[in-house]
Amino acid sequence: MAAEIRLFTCLTDNFGYLIHDPATKATASIDAPEAAPVIKALEREGWTLTDILITHHHGDHVGGVAELKQKYGCGVVGPHDKSAKIADVDLRAGQGDVVKVGGLLARVLETPGHTLDHISYVFDGEKALFAADTLFSIGCGRVFEGNYPMMWNSLLKLRALPDDFKLYCGHEYTAANVKFALSVEPDNADLRTRAEQVTRLRAENKPTIPTLLGEEKKANVFLRADEPSVAASLRMKGADAAAVFGELRERKNKS
Ligand code: ZN
Ligand code: FE
């Protein structure tokens, strides 16, 4: 039986996610921005929380962990403490570790840059990537704790995943990301297609997530820092990809 994934809004623009294994009835919350919407989503489905998989230490990703753990006695997986301590973690996971949600397997990729501790979870069997604040649709996270080469390297790890994997990211930032990306690649046909789709979805008050990784590779300018046309558009012809990525990120910060 295939896993079931549910997505819902938390806080202002965070996504909450549940992944459920019908065979074992295990259910994981990917991050826990706040407890109430996670509990509501669980009750709507009649699921019981067995696991929380944390991506990084920011409050908008761990704010609900203590309350959920208290209520359900679930197991909590999180990254190793690198820059800040994450409370209530039972199991620390790093690059290459595989964590179980019932019969589902999640491969851990270390994707530092946004924070030093940031990890992403790849469910190969479900073709699902939970990338939190490393990779957004048509964008990427701000580089708060790492540096640009580190973040670029993390994006390359995610870009290496197959095109038919779905991206589930931490925030609904797609519309603003599209606006910025179009300022760099106004003639990118895939980006323009995505822009139309995003305008439609947002007008209907629907999430722009999930999205296919293959589409992101063609339309997300932050995954395209090694495209000569992107460097040229920034007047950085011949510059190395990490430097082009850094310039993109700085321009986005100011946009
Ligand atoms: Zn964050
Ligand atoms: Fe966040």
Side-chain angles (χ1 to χ4, degrees):
M1 262 187 295
E4 295 187 50
I5 296 175
R6 295 290 179 271
L7 152 173
F8 44 94
T9 307
C10 293
L11 302 172
T12 321
D13 50 33
N14 279 76
F15 284 118
Y17 295 109
L18 295 176
I19 183 164
H20 175 75
D21 177 18
T24 62
K25 302 204 182 321
T27 305
S29 177
I30 313 296
D31 283 335
E34 52 178 341
V38 177
I39 295 169
K40 211 174 124 196
L42 286 161
E43 289 178 350
R44 196 163 46 223
E45 302 294 343
W47 297 344
T48 301
L49 194 67
T50 52
D51 304 87
I52 300 173
L53 310 184
I54 299 173
T55 60
H56 67 296
H57 69 80
H58 282 161
D60 63 315
H61 296 260
V62 300
V65 172
E67 187 180 336
L68 291 170
K69 189 173 183 181
Q70 169 82 23
K71 184 173 168 71
Y72 295 99
C74 55
V76 180
V77 178
H80 295 277
D81 289 332
K82 302 246 169 107
S83 50
K85 199 168 153 38
I86 306 178
D88 301 303
V89 175
D90 302 302
L91 180 72
R92 303 278 171 177
Q95 181 71 29
D97 287 344
V98 175
V99 302
K100 278 189 184 174
V101 177
L104 311 176
L105 301 180
R107 198 154 51 85
V108 174
L109 298 180
E110 289 185 357
T111 49
H114 175 71
T115 61
L116 293 178
D117 63 356
H118 198 298
I119 57 177
S120 299
Y121 295 93
V122 182
F123 289 80
D124 289 291
E126 285 63 43
K127 298 178 190 271
L129 162 64
F130 293 90
D133 292 0
T134 298
L135 177 63
F136 297 129
S137 179
I138 318 296
C140 73
R142 277 187 190 248
V143 180
F144 287 122
E145 294 179 7
N147 56 40
Y148 293 134
M150 181 191 282
M151 184 68 160
W152 172 241
N153 194 49
S154 293
L155 292 177
L156 287 178
K157 277 192 196 174
L158 302 183
R159 196 178 72 174
L161 295 168
D163 288 356
D164 62 345
F165 275 39
K166 282 183 179 149
L167 168 67
Y168 297 89
C169 61
H171 292 265
E172 179 61 85
Y173 288 159
T174 316
N177 291 339
V178 162
K179 191 169 167 227
F180 171 75
L182 281 170
S183 75
V184 182
E185 293 197 285
D187 301 323
N188 180 328
D190 296 298
L191 174 58
R192 293 166 71 131
T193 303
R194 177 69 170 143
E196 282 165 24
Q197 184 188 55
V198 168
T199 304
R200 206 175 339 113
L201 288 168
R202 296 312 291 149
E204 294 166 8
N205 214 9
K206 289 184 183 153
T208 62
I209 300 302
T211 175
L212 282 174
L213 216 43
E215 301 301 319
E216 290 297 313
K217 293 177 196 178
K218 292 187 284 185
N220 186 337
V221 70
F222 291 95
L223 291 180
R224 295 165 49 76
D226 53 356
E227 280 288 327
S229 61
V230 170
S233 144
L234 302 180
R235 301 183 190 288
M236 293 180 74
K237 253 185 188 158
D240 92 18
V244 174
F245 168 75
E247 176 64 19
L248 283 170
R249 192 54 257 181
E250 299 220 341
R251 287 190 190 202
K252 175 67 171 70
N253 292 349
K254 289 178 206 130
S255 74

